């Protein structure tokens, strides 16, 4: 009996080992033939669907950036009107396009849809019209590197956004980050290369791991449009203010030294700086960057299908994919990891929420001081404090992951901004008293987006009605013309069988 048991156990063991060996061989064979190319991708191919013929797993996962179901504590991959939830921002951005429309950013697949739909770009019916330069397309489409290659970088920056409406029909995708011949990560936006040169660095010297962050840093950064470059007059040339460093103070000093302002606030008359989305800069100040973690490690973790390991291109919040994103390094419970992130976000949100209200009141009180006859000499230091306070606030909130990427640095910036705006409001109180205003300045309803938009002189119902007609009549024409151009100029060549 004992011999029979040993025999049966041996047979089962042999069977299982054979099954394991077959599975390994099958997976290796599958992996070997997984990336047999079907088409030749040459030059700058803006269509993700063509790349997807050779790299189906990456392509299918990237298409999931269209998903809008994720919701975190304060962020979502779906639509959310930020001005409706935080109306005081209308005052902070009075005179600037963000006072009209500011929504939560959706996934990369929505990049073109969202920029076309935003009230910030106006409703340009014809080429050459509209408030925004063509530079605003820079981070929205794989057609950008294609067009830069065709007409030149400076020429690309030298037009109106409406001039290239029919050129931009493919959202962010493969050609933005990959060389079509080698599939190596590559930099397709010259502003990043030029920023490295301004810091005395050569971007070609960076490691592959660094590139897994730098391809993101092409767009997820603070930037401005330089219209004064010699030999490039007339172009809204894209630049990163990195020459003195990546900190909020270094960039503040850079902008002050060149006397730069994105706009002058119509209420307080402050020359303002609008922070864009300094994700890379703030990330670089956090513990993950110091430990050598890249953006892709968390936002594009590796996954395995059919024995093939590849990078998941469903770019989104790591909190939606904790098992693959966080568990590579961390061993805490999923709920504890998410709770830790939310705790940081709550604490910083408490500070920025208070700060936003103080900034709004400072702008309105400054307007009252001007109305009562304040002089430029009396207002100069006050306006500088408002400028620096709002810049630091904006730098901390425009990067949507700041509370996670670098919570200590973000808290420091918020505290610094709060101190500066409080100093400005104390000085305004004294000045207003000198000018005869001894009672608190009357404030509009800071809890209503519609009230505040009317307060700063916006007629949003009319503007939104015009926008709807633009979306129905102009955008379909842009897309149709772009598709016709692609059909004539782009072709696909199948790889010959061997």
């Amino acid at each position: 009996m004992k011999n029979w048991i040993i025999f049966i156990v041996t047979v089962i063991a042999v069977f299982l080992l054979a099954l394991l060996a077959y599975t390994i061989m099958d997976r290796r064979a599958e992996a070997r033939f997984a990336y047999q190319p079907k088409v030749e991708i040459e030059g700058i191919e803006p269509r993700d669907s063509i790349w997807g013929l050779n790299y189906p797993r990456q392509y299918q996962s990237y298409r999931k950036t269209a998903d809008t179901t994720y919701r975190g504590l304060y962020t979502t991959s779906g639509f959310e009107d930020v001005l409706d939830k935080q109306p005081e921002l209308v005052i902070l951005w009075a005179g600037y396009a963000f006072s009209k429309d500011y929504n939560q950013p959706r996934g990369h697949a929505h990049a073109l849809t969202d920029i076309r739909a935003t009230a910030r770009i106006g409703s340009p019916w014809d080429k050459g019209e509209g408030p925004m330069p063509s530079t605003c397309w820079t981070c929205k489409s794989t057609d950008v590197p294609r067009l830069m290659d065709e007409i030149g970088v400076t020429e690309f920056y030298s037009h109106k956004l409406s001039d290239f409406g029919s050129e931009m029909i493919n959202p962010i995708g493969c050609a933005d980050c990959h060389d079509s011949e080698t599939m190596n990560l590559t930099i397709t936006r010259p502003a990043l290369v030029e920023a490295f040169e301004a810091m005395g660095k050569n971007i070609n010297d960076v490691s592959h791991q660094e590139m897994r962050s730098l391809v993101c840093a092409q767009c997820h950064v603070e930037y401005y449009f330089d219209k004064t470059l010699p030999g490039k007059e007339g172009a809204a040339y894209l630049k990163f203010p990195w020459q003195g460093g990546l900190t909020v103070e270094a960039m503040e000093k850079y902008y002050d030294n060149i006397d730069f302002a994105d706009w002058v606030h119509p209420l307080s008359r402050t020359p303002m700086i609008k922070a864009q989305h300094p994700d890379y800069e703030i990330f670089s100040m956090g513990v993950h960057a110091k430990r050598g973690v890249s953006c892709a490690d968390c936002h594009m973790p590796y996954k395995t299908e059919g024995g093939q390991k590849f990078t998941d291109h469903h770019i989104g919040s790591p909190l939606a994919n904790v098992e693959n994103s966080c568990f590579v390094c961390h061993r805490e419970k999923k709920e504890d990891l998410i709770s830790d992130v939310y705790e940081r976000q709550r604490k910083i949100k408490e500070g920025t929420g208070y700060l936003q209200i103080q900034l709004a009141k400072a702008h309105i009180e400054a307007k009252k001081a001007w109305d009562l006859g304040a002089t430029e000499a009396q207002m100069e230091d006050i306006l500088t404090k408002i400028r620096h306070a709002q810049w630091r606030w904006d730098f901390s909130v425009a990067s949507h992951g700041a509370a996670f990427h670098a919570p200590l640095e973000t808290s420091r910036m918020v505290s610094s901004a709060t101190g500066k705006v409080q100093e400005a409001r104390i000085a305004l109180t004294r000045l207003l008293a000198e000018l005869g205003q001894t009672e608190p300045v009357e404030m509009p309803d800071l809890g209503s987006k519609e009230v505040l938009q009317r307060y700063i002189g916006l007629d949003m119902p009319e503007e939104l009605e015009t926008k709807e007609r633009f979306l129905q009549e102009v955008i379909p024409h842009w897309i149709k013309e772009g598709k016709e151009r692609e059909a004539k100029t782009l072709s696909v060549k199948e790889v010959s069988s061997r």
Side-chain angles (χ1 to χ4, degrees):
M1 185 66 181
K2 181 177 180 182
N3 292 335
W4 274 106
I5 293 174
I6 295 173
F7 174 76
I8 293 172
V9 170
T10 303
V11 170
I12 294 174
V14 170
F15 173 77
L16 292 175
L17 287 171
L19 182 62
L20 176 61
Y22 173 79
T23 302
I24 292 173
M25 292 174 63
D26 185 54
R27 291 291 181 263
R28 285 181 175 176
E30 184 177 354
R32 180 182 176 187
F33 294 105
Y35 294 115
Q36 292 298 313
K38 295 182 179 181
V39 297
E40 293 183 6
I41 301 177
E42 299 177 344
I44 301 173
E45 170 55 72
R47 298 168 296 179
D48 287 344
S49 58
I50 304 303
W51 293 72
L53 296 174
N54 289 350
Y55 308 99
R57 287 186 172 90
Q58 289 87 341
Y59 174 62
Q60 290 301 323
S61 65
Y62 178 76
R63 292 185 64 185
K64 293 180 181 178
T65 62
D67 176 76
T68 58
T69 59
Y70 171 75
R71 177 166 291 275
L73 183 62
Y74 296 111
T75 59
T76 176
S77 61
F79 177 84
E80 185 172 280
D81 185 342
V82 177
L83 295 184
D84 192 53
K85 288 187 171 294
Q86 304 173 57
E88 65 274 11
L89 300 185
V90 172
I91 297 296
L92 272 60
W93 291 325
Y96 199 65
F98 275 71
S99 62
K100 300 178 181 180
D101 180 20
Y102 179 50
N103 305 314
Q104 282 274 6
R106 298 195 295 170
H108 286 176
H110 298 284
L112 285 179
T113 303
D114 289 350
I115 190 175
R116 293 166 182 156
T118 180
R120 297 199 300 270
I121 71 163
S123 303
W125 295 94
D126 297 306
K127 290 184 177 182
E129 293 184 350
M132 298 301 177
S134 53
T135 317
C136 292
W137 289 117
T138 301
C139 289
K140 305 301 181 183
S141 172
T142 50
D143 285 301
V144 170
R146 172 190 64 78
L147 194 57
M148 284 182 169
D149 184 63
E150 291 175 5
I151 68 175
V153 175
T154 301
E155 183 66 17
F156 175 83
Y157 294 148
S158 300
H159 291 262
K160 285 286 189 178
L161 179 140
S162 56
D163 291 331
F164 295 147
S166 61
E167 294 285 350
M168 304 296 150
I169 60 171
N170 297 288
I172 300 164
C174 309
D176 287 318
C177 303
H178 290 283
D179 183 290
S180 61
E181 293 184 8
T182 66
M183 283 305 295
N184 290 337
L185 295 175
T186 187
I187 303 302
T188 57
R189 300 320 194 262
L192 180 60
V193 178
E194 293 161 356
F196 263 65
E197 292 173 350
M199 294 188 293
K201 299 179 180 179
N202 186 343
I203 203 166
N204 295 317
D205 294 335
V206 303
S207 67
H208 174 71
Q209 180 68 353
E210 290 174 299
M211 281 293 288
R212 298 180 78 232
S213 290
L214 289 176
V215 289
C216 306
Q218 295 183 99
C219 294
H220 290 265
V221 289
E222 162 61 11
Y223 64 84
Y224 73 107
F225 299 157
D226 192 337
K227 301 179 181 179
T228 64
L229 289 176
K232 305 179 189 297
E233 291 82 1
Y237 207 90
L238 185 65
K239 290 187 69 175
F240 302 168
W242 288 4
Q243 190 169 344
L246 304 185
T247 66
V248 68
E249 288 88 359
M251 295 190 205
E252 177 183 276
K253 183 178 180 180
Y254 175 93
Y255 284 134
D256 287 350
N257 287 341
I258 64 173
D259 197 25
F260 176 83
D262 282 295
W263 89 105
V264 175
H265 200 284
L267 302 180
S268 66
R269 304 186 196 178
T270 305
M272 304 299 299
I273 318 168
K274 175 68 187 77
Q276 306 305 328
H277 26 62
D279 304 313
Y280 175 75
E281 294 93 334
I282 292 182
F283 158 75
S284 68
M285 302 172 200
V287 66
H288 287 84
K290 292 176 181 177
R291 298 292 184 271
V293 178
S294 73
C295 300
D297 287 325
C298 300
H299 293 276
M300 302 173 65
Y302 291 113
K303 66 185 299 185
T304 302
E305 286 182 2
Q308 181 63 45
K309 180 181 178 180
F310 66 99
T311 300
D312 186 353
H313 282 61
H314 182 187
I315 307 162
S317 172
L319 297 187
N321 189 13
V322 170
E323 290 83 357
N324 288 344
S325 294
C326 306
F327 283 0
V328 175
C329 299
H330 297 278
R331 295 294 178 267
E332 293 92 334
K333 293 181 180 178
K334 174 181 176 180
E335 294 75 16
D336 291 341
L337 286 168
I338 294 176
S339 177
D340 286 345
V341 175
Y342 285 173
E343 181 182 5
R344 290 168 173 79
Q345 290 178 338
R346 286 191 193 95
K347 290 178 178 179
I348 290 175
K349 188 66 176 178
E350 181 180 342
T352 58
Y354 170 80
L355 177 54
Q356 290 164 197
I357 298 295
Q358 302 309 305
L359 284 164
K361 291 180 177 180
H363 284 295
I364 294 169
E365 289 165 346
K367 178 184 184 302
K368 186 65 175 180
W370 286 116
D371 292 344
L372 292 174
T375 66
E376 291 188 7
Q378 289 173 314
M379 295 293 289
E380 182 179 7
D381 185 59
I382 292 172
L383 299 189
T384 297
K385 285 183 168 59
I386 293 175
R387 168 184 167 94
H388 290 171
Q390 183 158 323
W391 158 248
R392 294 169 189 219
W393 160 80
D394 209 347
F395 200 89
S396 66
V397 300
S399 173
H400 297 280
F404 171 78
H405 288 151
L408 291 178
E409 175 64 12
T410 303
S411 296
R412 187 193 68 81
M413 288 189 290
V414 173
S415 296
S416 172
T418 302
K420 288 183 178 298
V421 74
Q422 287 175 339
E423 290 174 4
R425 291 196 67 201
I426 290 170
L428 277 166
T429 300
R430 291 169 177 165
L431 177 57
L432 286 167
E434 291 178 19
L435 298 171
Q437 179 75 29
T438 56
E439 297 295 322
V441 174
E442 183 179 356
M443 295 287 163
D445 181 2
L446 295 178
S448 170
K449 177 182 76 171
E450 291 76 17
V451 167
L452 295 180
Q453 287 177 329
R454 288 195 298 270
Y455 177 79
I456 65 173
L458 291 177
D459 185 350
M460 290 309 298
E462 179 180 351
E463 189 151 348
L464 292 176
E465 181 181 346
T466 303
K467 187 70 186 185
E468 187 60 32
R469 288 195 296 115
F470 167 78
L471 293 174
Q472 293 176 0
E473 299 177 26
V474 177
I475 295 303
H477 173 72
W478 281 2
I479 296 173
K480 179 176 181 291
E481 188 176 318
K483 293 293 185 182
E484 290 174 347
R485 170 185 50 76
E486 276 195 343
K488 293 178 181 178
T489 60
L490 297 178
S491 60
V492 180
K493 183 179 179 182
E494 293 186 6
V495 175
S496 58
S497 58
R498 294 179 177 86

